[in-house]
Each structure stands twice: as structure tokens, then as C-alpha cells.
Amino acid sequence: MSRAPAPAKVNLALVVGPLRDDGKHEVLTVLQRIDLVDRIELDEAPELRVEGFGEDTLVRDALRELARSAGAEPRWRVRIEKRIPVAAGLGGGSSDAATALRLANETLPAPLPAGELRYVAAQLGADVPFFLTDGPQLGSGDGSELEPLDLPQDFWVVILLPHGVAKTSTAEVYAAFDARKDVPGFAERRQTLLDGLAAVKRPRDLVSLPPNDLVSSPLAEELRVAGAFRADVSGAGPALYGLFHHRRDADAARRTFRSLGRTWLAAPAWYG
């Protein structure tokens, strides 16, 4: 039996462009793993079973695709212990799928090489390949084309999932983006992000990255008032993050915001 953590992510920046020919949006995003984690347990079994989280479809799809690519039968039992909130913009489902892929691949008589495993991951969703990498990454194309980033990791992260706010679907969030009149200017926003990244030396320099194109929230400003040097919505939301220099300040903010939603205190994580 194998066990591994499946970490959440936050998008430290997300710039969105036009629809591509494949129906996906062009994006440029900064992906940072954090130590808010689900737990994945996997062992071999007579048939594919996914336990512990009845809403899962992505882990099941991932293991079927892995088996097909490897010319094997999907004979694994997976147990998911959920802690990352679902449909919050934190990548929990993608992380679960990537972790299950990695663990299951290690059980194969001839495991797929890293490049082939990343290809399988990319068929499942744009965020899934990220969770097969180490460290922060710059995602481009549909988000699955990755480039390692050398970013500071010495800060604390407060995650806030507001009460009474739900994301209907990522597709609807992108449709709302397309309907807005401020969609043009992707090239300029993209360059602003790249210029901001080039100037990052210390955690506080992350404040120069542009805000999330997809979703905004007035609670981001409240997190900044509470001491966050950067705060924004992660991915397609609705979860927000606030970055803090010191743990005591982050923990104080987490306690302050508990009346507004579920909160977590986390730190950057380099790998799963």
C-alpha cells in the first residue's frame, strides 16, 4: 500500500486571454503549491474502486486513462481523505488525480516515463500536470505548459472560503469573463505579469503581480487591511488567499475571518 499527500494550490496570478481553436482559453498563471492537503491511499485490487469521497470522478478517470496508456487493467483501490474544499479554485480534484496517477504508475511492471505520465495528466485537466512537478510553476497555453519559477517561499498563506458563495462551474466563470467588455488587452496584461515576475526577489515583491482576471472579491481588500501584502481570489474561485510575512499575523487574520467563512493557515509546499 502507498500513501501520499495531495496538496492544494493557489494562483498567485492569473491572466486570461481569448478562446483558442480547441475551445480552451489562453492563460498565463503562477501556480504555487501549499500544505493544505488531501490524503491519497492506493493499493492493488481486483478491480478499480475509489472510496472515501463519493463525488470523485477525476481520480477514477485518471486511473482508467493510465491503464489504457500502459496497456494494463485498472486494478487499484484508492481511498481519498478530503480536506481541501471542493470546487473552490484550489485544485483539490486535480491534485488527487495527479497523486493517484503517480502512485498507480509506480505499481506498473513498466511505469510510464515522466513525459508520458504528464501527457496523460494533461488529458484530464489543465491543472493536473502541475501536481506532477516540484516547486512553483508558470503555466501557459491552456495552463498545462509549465516552466519552473524561482520564487520566494518564506511567507504564510491564509485561505478563506466565504460562507454562502458557490461556484456553479469553471465553464460558467470563463463564460462570464468572455461576456465582459474588458477582455481585450491580453498581450499587455501578459507582459505585465512577466515583468512583475522578473522583479520578484522577496515575498513582498509578489504584490506587483497583476490581479486575477477571472474573479474578484471585496474580501481581498479586507485581507490586505488585515495585514496581507498580497490577497486575491485563487483560480476560478470562490476561495481567496492572503499572503503574510509572519505566522502570528497570518494566524490572527485567520481567526478574524472565521466569522465570514471557513479559514485555513498554510505555508508554501515545494512538492506533494
Side-chain angles (χ1 to χ4, degrees), residues 72-112:
E73 292 296 322
R75 292 175 176 162
W76 297 284
R77 181 195 69 87
V78 180
R79 181 167 182 81
I80 305 172
E81 181 183 327
K82 289 298 291 181
R83 187 164 178 244
I84 303 169
V86 178
L90 299 173
S94 295
S95 186
D96 293 347
T99 303
L101 273 177
R102 178 168 55 82
L103 294 178
N105 190 53
E106 292 169 359
T107 72
L108 294 172
L112 296 185

Side-chain angles (χ1 to χ4, degrees), residues 4-267:
K9 59 82 181 171
V10 292
N11 298 78
L12 295 179
L14 175 58
V15 174
V16 182
L19 274 171
R20 306 172 351 151
D21 290 342
D22 61 5
K24 301 177 182 179
H25 284 77
E26 191 77 19
V27 303
L28 191 68
T29 185
V30 178
L31 297 158
Q32 172 67 60
R33 191 181 282 100
I34 60 174
D35 65 359
L36 170 63
V37 302
D38 292 341
R39 300 283 177 181
I40 304 297
E41 177 183 281
L42 179 141
D43 57 7
E44 297 181 70
E47 60 184 9
L48 180 60
R49 300 203 318 271
V50 180
E51 304 170 352
F53 180 54
E55 298 175 48
D56 168 73
T57 57
L58 199 54
V59 167
R60 192 179 300 274
D61 290 346
L63 295 184
R64 284 174 175 155
E65 184 61 24
L66 172 64
R68 188 197 64 77
S69 298
E73 292 296 322
R75 292 175 176 162
W76 297 284
R77 181 195 69 87
V78 180
R79 181 167 182 81
I80 305 172
E81 181 183 327
K82 289 298 291 181
R83 187 164 178 244
I84 303 169
V86 178
L90 299 173
S94 295
S95 186
D96 293 347
T99 303
L101 273 177
R102 178 168 55 82
L103 294 178
N105 190 53
E106 292 169 359
T107 72
L108 294 172
L112 296 185
E116 290 185 33
L117 194 63
R118 285 193 296 270
Y119 177 82
V120 171
Q123 309 314 303
L124 301 163
D127 283 344
V128 182
F130 166 67
F131 292 105
L132 295 175
T133 69
D134 292 340
Q137 301 277 330
L138 181 67
S140 60
D142 68 349
S144 64
E145 299 170 24
L146 300 169
E147 177 184 344
L149 292 172
D150 183 14
L151 294 182
Q153 301 286 282
D154 51 333
F155 54 86
W156 293 89
V157 185
V158 172
I159 299 296
L160 169 62
L161 182 60
H163 290 316
V165 178
K167 177 178 66 179
T168 52
S169 73
T170 299
E172 291 186 18
V173 174
Y174 273 92
F177 170 81
D178 289 335
R180 296 201 299 267
K181 298 183 182 299
D182 59 352
V183 173
F186 170 62
E188 291 80 1
R189 297 195 306 279
R190 184 181 188 280
Q191 191 59 49
T192 297
L193 173 50
L194 293 173
D195 292 344
L197 280 174
V200 173
K201 306 298 181 186
R202 300 166 297 176
R204 72 183 65 179
D205 298 331
L206 293 168
V207 73
S208 66
L209 301 183
N212 186 330
D213 267 354
L214 272 184
V215 191
S216 62
S217 170
L219 291 175
E221 178 57 29
E222 294 192 34
L223 281 163
R224 288 187 284 269
V225 170
F229 61 86
R230 180 173 178 81
D232 209 341
V233 178
S234 180
L240 296 93
Y241 65 86
L243 309 185
F244 293 79
H245 291 295
H246 303 293
R247 178 172 183 152
R248 65 177 181 274
D249 297 331
D251 201 36
R254 181 188 64 83
R255 292 193 301 270
T256 296
F257 283 92
R258 282 188 300 195
S259 63
L260 298 180
R262 297 171 65 192
T263 60
W264 295 263
L265 177 63

